[in-house]
Amino acid sequence: MAQMTMIQAINDAMRVELKRDEKVLVFGEDVGVNGGVFRATENLHAEFGEDRVFDTPLAESGIGGLAIGLAVQGFRPVPEIQFFGFVFEVMDSIAGQMARYHFRTGGSFEMPITIRSPFGGGVHTPEMHADSLEGLMAQTPGLKVVIPSTPYDAKGLLISAIRDNNPVVFLEHMKLYRSFREEVPEGEYTIPLGKADVKREGKDISIIAYGAMVHEALKAADELEKEGYSAEVVDLRTVSPLDIETIIASVEKTNRAIVVQEAQKQAGVAANVVAEINDRAILSLEAPVLRVAAADTVFPFSQAESVWLPNYKDIIETAKKVLTF
Amino acid sequence: MVENRHQALGLSDETVLEMYETMLLARRLDERMWLLNRSGKVPFVISGQGQEGAQIGAAFALNREKDYILPYYRDMGVVLAFGMTAKELMLSAFAKAEDPNSGGKQMPSHFGQKKNRIVTGSSPVTTQVPHAVGIALAAKMEKKDFVSFVTFGEGSSNQGDFHEGANFAGVHKLPVIFMCENNKYAISVPVTKQLACERVSDRAIGYGMPGITVDGNDPLEVYRVVKEAHDRAIRGEGPTLIEAVTYRLTAHSSDDDDRAYRDQEEVMTAKEQDPLYTFGSYLKEVAVLTDEIEKSLNDKVMKLVNEATDYAENAPYAKPEDALKYVYKE
Ligand SMILES: Cc1ncc(C[n+]2csc(CCOP(=O)(O)OP(=O)(O)O)c2C)c(N)n1
Ligand SMILES: [Mg+2]
C-alpha cells in the first residue's frame, strides 16, 4: 500500500479506470498536458494519450453536452469542471439534461457520467471558487452526489462513481486535497455509493457530517471526550441519495444528533437529514436535532473565512446544547 | 527618422506620452504585485503584462467621460485609463476594506468602480459580455451617446455568453465594442485547441458585424480600430468585434507554472514584441520621449507604486462581521 494525499488518490482512481475500461474518457479545461490546475489529472495525458485524456475549449456547457453525447454512444465520460462555482455555466447539461435522460426515455438511455469538481472553503479563495453548492445538486432527482473526506474513500468512491450507470457529481474539497496522507491500496477497490461511514463510534450523540466538516467533527469528538461525552461521527460520503439506514441506526443508538455542513444553512443537505431523522426516529430522540452550518450570506472575503466557516468549536457548542437539553 | 504615426491619428505628443505613462504604471504595478505575492503579502496576482498596448490603445480611443467599460481581469491598463488609481488597485491586491472594487470580497483584478463607469465583473469568464450588451441596449433606447466596451480572452470567446451577447448586439445594432485580447493561451490550452477558425474576429460574420484583427502590441493600431468602432457605434451603425493579438508574458496567474505547458523560448521571443518596449522605442524615434522625460516618468511612476504599496499594506482589512452585509438591499 502507498501513502497518498486525496488528490493522489483521485488521480490514481482515474488511472485505474482508464486502464481497466477503454470507454472511460477524461476531459475538461487544462486537464491534458497541464495535468489540471490542481494536478488531479497529472500524467494521465502522457500515459493514455490525447484520445482518452484531453483539453476542451473553455466552455462548460459544451463540456456537459459533450459528455451526454458520448454517454449515448456507450462511453464513460469523466469531465472536470475546473471549479464548482462554474457549475452555473453547465447547470442545464447536468440538472436539466443528464439527470433526466434515463427517466425521460423510460430507461432506454443511460448516463454513466462522473462530473468531478473542486469546491470548498478554507483555502483563502473567495466566492465562486469556494462555494459549497452541493445542495443545488442534491435537490435534483437522477443525480448522485458524492463528497469524500479521506484519500481512501476518495479513491474507492471515485471508482464506483465511474462504474455507476447514473450521472454522479463528485465533489472534491480543496482543503482536503493535500491536507494529509493515508494508506491507500494500489489497484482497484470500490466503496459503494449511497453508503455512509461511521468514522468514530460513540454512544452519547451522533455528529453527522460530510466533506471537510468530518474532520472538524472528529476534532470536536476528541474534545468532547475529554469532557466525558462519547460522540459518534457519521460521514455521509454520499449526500444524495442519503444513507438513511446508517443515519437512523446511529441516532437510535445515541438518541441525540447534530448535523454539520459547510454550506449556508438555508435549504441545505443538513436540513434534509434533520427532516429524515424527525420523520423516522423522533421517538428515539432525547433532544431536538440541531444544525451547524454557515450563515445565509455569500461566501466571504479571506479575513472572515475562519469565522464564517463552521469549525469544531461551533460543533462542540451545538453538541453541548443537545447533550444538556 | 521614422514616420510620425500618432499625429496622423490626431493624437498629440502629450496624449501619446500619457498613453506611455499609463502603460508604464500598469506594468510597474503589476510587477510590484508579483513581488508582494512572492513575499507572501498579497494572495493572488493575475497579470496584464504584455497586453498593456492593446489595453491603452483601446481605452484612449474611448470617451473616458461617458463610455461604460466591462473589463476582464487582465485589464489594469484599461481601468487606470478610466480613472482607477494605483492606490485603489493596490488596495484590491491586498484585499483591504477600502478597495473600491469589492473590498476584498472578490479576487484581485475583478474590476468595478461605479463612479468611473467600470462595471463590475466576476470570476466566471465571459459573463460580462451580455451585461455589456444590456448596457448598450439601454443607451440605444434612451438615446444616450455612450458606448459600451467589453473585453475577454480568446478562450473565453467560446462561452455561450459571448455568442449570445454578440448575436443580440448584432440583431439590434447596439453601440457596443467587443474586444478580445488574444494572448494565445487560456491557462495551458493554446488557441489552436480553442478555436477552429483562423481568427477570433472571423466569428463576427455570424453576428452581422465587422470583425477586425489588429496587432495588439501596437497601441496606435489598436487606437485606430477602436476609434473607428466607436465612431460607428455612436453613428448608430452597431457593434464591432476587435481581436487584439498579444501575448501573455507571465504565467496565467501566481498559482500557475507555465513551464508545464509552454516553451520558454517562445516567451523570450514574445518579449521582443513587448509593447512597453516597442512603444517606448517608437516614441524615442519620433523624439517625443527623451531620456530626460523617460527618467522623470519612471521616477513619477515608481513613486506612485511605492506610495500605493505603503498605503495599501497599512490599510485595515474589512471586519469579519462586514462579511454579513449587503446580501440584500435593506
Ligand atoms: C466559466 C469559467 N470557467 C473556467 C474558469 C477558470 N479560468 C479562469 S481564466 C481561464 C482561462 C481564460 O483564458 P482566456 O479567455 O484566453 O483569457 P486569458 O486568461 O488568457 O487572458 C480559465 C479556464 C473561469 N474563471 N470561469
Ligand atoms: Mg488567452
Side-chain angles (χ1 to χ4, degrees), chain A residues 30 33-34 37 50 55-60 82 86 89 125-129 295-298 300-301 303-304 307-308, chain B residues 95 104-107 123-125 127 155-156 158-159 186-189 193-194 260-261 317-320 322-324 327:
Chain A
D30 305 284
V33 176
N34 193 40
V37 295
E50 177 70 15
D55 287 327
T56 63
L58 172 40
E60 288 77 10
Q82 198 164 79
F86 308 140
E89 269 64 16
T125 179
E127 57 122 12
M128 299 312 296
H129 288 80
D296 287 324
T297 60
V298 180
F301 43 86
Q303 285 69 36
V307 187
W308 188 85
Chain B
K105 292 188 196 72
Q106 297 203 84
M107 287 180 171
S123 295
V125 296
T127 44
S156 300
N158 291 312
Q159 291 280 351
I187 309 187
S188 71
V189 184
K193 280 197 164 182
Q194 291 286 353
Y261 54 81
Y317 287 111
K319 295 192 286 296
D322 292 348
L324 307 179
V327 177

Side-chain angles (χ1 to χ4, degrees), chain B residues 276-290:
Chain B
L276 188 65
Y277 174 78
T278 55
F279 192 49
S281 305
Y282 162 78
L283 293 176
K284 282 182 182 167
E285 282 162 10
V286 292
V288 171
L289 184 66
T290 60

Side-chain angles (χ1 to χ4, degrees), chain A residues 64-140:
Chain A
L66 188 73
I68 291 170
L70 286 163
V72 166
Q73 289 299 318
F75 283 91
R76 292 191 171 273
V78 188
E80 175 180 293
I81 301 300
Q82 198 164 79
F83 284 90
F84 204 55
F86 308 140
V87 69
F88 298 111
E89 269 64 16
V90 59
M91 202 65 183
D92 177 65
S93 289
I94 298 175
Q97 308 305 326
M98 63 180 82
R100 303 169 188 216
Y101 234 79
H102 192 258
F103 167 80
R104 271 181 200 144
T105 62
S108 53
F109 287 100
E110 290 174 5
M111 286 285 122
I113 300 169
T114 302
I115 298 158
R116 289 184 39 253
S117 190
F119 81 110
V123 292
H124 295 292
T125 179
E127 57 122 12
M128 299 312 296
H129 288 80
D131 300 355
S132 288
L133 301 170
E134 66 277 8
L136 298 177
M137 301 294 120
Q139 228 204 1
T140 302

Side-chain angles (χ1 to χ4, degrees), chain A residues 45-282:
Chain A
H45 180 267
E47 192 172 337
F48 297 98
E50 177 70 15
D51 288 349
R52 306 281 312 283
V53 179
F54 56 93
D55 287 327
T56 63
L58 172 40
E60 288 77 10
S61 180
I63 294 172
L66 188 73
I68 291 170
L70 286 163
V72 166
Q73 289 299 318
F75 283 91
R76 292 191 171 273
V78 188
E80 175 180 293
I81 301 300
Q82 198 164 79
F83 284 90
F84 204 55
F86 308 140
V87 69
F88 298 111
E89 269 64 16
V90 59
M91 202 65 183
D92 177 65
S93 289
I94 298 175
Q97 308 305 326
M98 63 180 82
R100 303 169 188 216
Y101 234 79
H102 192 258
F103 167 80
R104 271 181 200 144
T105 62
S108 53
F109 287 100
E110 290 174 5
M111 286 285 122
I113 300 169
T114 302
I115 298 158
R116 289 184 39 253
S117 190
F119 81 110
V123 292
H124 295 292
T125 179
E127 57 122 12
M128 299 312 296
H129 288 80
D131 300 355
S132 288
L133 301 170
E134 66 277 8
L136 298 177
M137 301 294 120
Q139 228 204 1
T140 302
L143 294 181
K144 296 185 180 179
V145 185
V146 177
I147 305 182
S149 70
T150 67
Y152 175 85
D153 284 356
K155 181 172 168 184
L157 287 166
L158 183 51
I159 292 177
S160 294
I162 294 171
R163 294 181 188 181
D164 199 280
N165 288 329
N166 295 287
V168 179
V169 178
F170 190 90
L171 299 177
E172 305 166 0
H173 201 290
M174 287 187 280
K175 196 179 171 189
L176 301 179
Y177 265 159
R178 295 181 169 83
S179 62
F180 68 101
R181 288 169 192 276
E182 68 177 2
E183 294 278 302
V184 173
E186 321 261 339
E188 53 180 286
Y189 65 93
T190 57
I191 293 175
L193 306 187
K195 281 307 269 176
D197 184 41
V198 176
K199 285 277 186 296
R200 184 190 206 276
E201 303 252 5
K203 52 188 194 331
D204 299 331
I205 186 169
S206 303
I207 306 177
I208 300 159
Y210 58 93
M213 286 299 123
V214 170
H215 300 281
E216 296 299 319
L218 289 168
K219 211 153 131 189
D222 286 345
E223 295 296 317
L224 286 165
E225 186 168 287
K226 292 179 194 156
E227 299 184 38
Y229 298 114
S230 159
E232 174 147 309
V233 176
V234 179
D235 177 359
L236 291 175
R237 298 198 297 199
T238 299
V239 301
S240 180
L242 281 176
D243 179 1
I244 308 257
E245 210 177 303
T246 303
I247 296 168
I248 298 303
S250 178
V251 172
E252 283 177 345
K253 179 170 80 171
T254 60
N255 309 117
R256 295 172 201 268
I258 63 172
V259 191
V260 189
Q261 70 179 24
E262 179 177 321
Q264 290 88 340
K265 199 169 198 176
Q266 62 190 19
V269 169
N272 188 30
V273 174
V274 174
E276 293 290 352
I277 294 171
N278 287 340
D279 282 355
R280 293 158 203 268
I282 197 138

